[in-house]
Amino acid sequence: MIDQASIDNRIAEGYTFLHRNETEKACNIWLEAWEDFKSWMGENGIKSLLDINFKDGWTEHPVNYAQDLEMELHNAGVENKVYLEERITYCRDLLSYVGQNKLMESNTRRAIADSYFKIGDEVECDRLYRQWLDEDPKWGWGYIGWHDCYAEEFHGRHNIKKAGEIIQRALCEDDVRDRLDVVDRALDFYNENGGDETVVSSLREEFGRLKASNMSHATINKPTPVTVVKTGRNEPCPCGSGKKYKHCHGKS
């Protein structure tokens, strides 16, 4: 039998390393814990992370741990590509445990393709995005993730023409999900790289309409207000990934 307490202790230890900015050590211990965690799920007949009750002896909810591991493997991979390769393996594994959590599935898929791009395998990155978008052509954040690979400067391998073609494909897709984010990303791209003023003006108008509609909906379902420190969309993400906030934790 796999000891749940032992797994929980190692996950907690990983967070201790993370708080000390020892990202690689956090990733190493979390990856070890992940292997036992999967075995523990199997022994208890648990198929999805969403089926785990947080109150049943976990210091950190396993869903949070699983997503934090994906993010920190990326951060470690900025300095050491080995962790990007580990991220691919881990995220392919993680897809089997996300259950009906479509947002987590989307983020995990993008992490896989993004990692292939960053280790220099653009062919596999493109193949995965094409496959997933052929299966689900309304996946707005799929287009955004693929676009970002080529729009952002990364070791001189950006491709402005291709990035523009990808975001344009998203704009032309009827009823694309997360249209507000797609239009927002298109505006960022055209503002930074130049674009037809008529097109840009039309996108600005659409962005305003969509944002107003979203704000109206949010007012109807207004949550309890909380105080947060706002990071500018074009500022570096405070997580330390090296990405702009809008391309990292500023994502919806």
Side-chain angles (χ1 to χ4, degrees):
M1 291 287 293
I2 301 296
D3 181 23
Q4 178 184 340
S6 173
I7 300 171
D8 187 65
N9 287 338
R10 279 179 287 166
I11 292 174
E13 186 178 0
Y15 279 105
T16 299
F17 283 127
L18 194 61
H19 294 153
R20 296 173 184 166
N21 293 318
E22 297 181 75
T23 306
E24 291 191 7
K25 288 184 178 180
C27 288
N28 292 340
I29 196 166
W30 278 350
L31 285 170
E32 291 176 3
W34 174 249
E35 294 305 314
D36 281 347
F37 182 73
K38 288 188 298 181
S39 297
W40 175 85
M41 288 181 68
E43 289 180 354
N44 288 275
I46 299 172
K47 298 185 181 300
S48 167
L49 291 166
L50 300 180
D51 296 333
I52 299 173
N53 189 336
F54 170 53
K55 297 179 180 179
D56 289 344
W58 296 101
T59 303
E60 183 72 37
H61 197 295
V63 170
N64 294 339
Y65 149 65
Q67 293 179 102
D68 287 342
L69 175 51
E70 177 269 304
M71 181 176 69
E72 297 308 329
L73 284 169
H74 168 269
N75 292 340
V78 172
E79 299 296 331
N80 186 344
K81 283 188 178 181
V82 167
Y83 287 96
L84 291 176
E85 294 168 354
E86 291 280 9
R87 187 185 188 212
I88 291 169
T89 300
Y90 166 71
C91 286
R92 286 189 177 279
D93 213 6
L94 180 59
L95 282 176
S96 301
Y97 298 95
V98 299
Q100 297 302 309
N101 190 328
K102 293 301 182 183
L103 178 59
M104 193 171 179
E105 178 184 64
S106 170
N107 290 341
T108 304
R109 284 184 169 185
R110 286 192 292 117
I112 294 169
D114 175 76
S115 296
Y116 272 115
F117 184 85
K118 289 185 175 179
I119 64 174
D121 194 344
E122 297 172 23
V123 173
E124 182 63 8
C125 170
D126 290 351
R127 187 192 71 80
L128 288 171
Y129 272 123
R130 286 196 186 98
Q131 174 189 324
W132 292 329
L133 286 166
D134 284 346
E135 294 170 354
D136 181 10
K138 309 299 183 184
W139 181 30
W141 273 98
Y143 295 107
I144 292 173
W146 194 10
H147 160 87
D148 286 353
C149 288
Y150 290 97
E152 292 291 296
E153 175 65 46
F154 186 79
H155 294 183
R157 289 193 289 110
H158 65 307
N159 184 327
I160 297 303
K161 182 176 183 294
K162 188 166 185 174
E165 290 171 350
I166 294 167
I167 204 66
Q168 184 61 39
R169 177 178 165 185
L171 290 170
C172 291
E173 185 64 48
D174 291 336
D175 300 321
V176 67
R177 293 193 301 280
D178 299 304
R179 175 86 184 181
L180 175 64
D181 297 301
V182 170
V183 172
D184 189 27
R185 187 66 97 250
L187 281 170
D188 282 341
F189 177 74
Y190 292 135
N191 286 333
E192 291 175 8
N193 299 285
D196 183 277
E197 185 53 40
T198 302
V199 173
V200 172
S201 178
S202 176
L203 287 172
R204 287 197 191 106
E205 290 180 8
E206 182 181 2
F207 180 79
R209 291 195 304 271
L210 290 170
K211 188 172 183 180
S213 176
N214 277 19
M215 289 178 66
S216 175
H217 178 74
T219 301
I220 295 172
N221 301 283
K222 189 174 181 180
T224 302
V226 295
T227 301
V228 297
V229 177
K230 186 172 178 61
T231 301
R233 286 174 45 70
N234 286 303
E235 294 177 14
C237 188
C239 78
S241 67
K243 290 185 175 183
K244 292 180 181 179
Y245 178 69
K246 66 186 178 185
H247 295 328
C248 193
H249 281 77
K251 294 179 178 179
S252 297

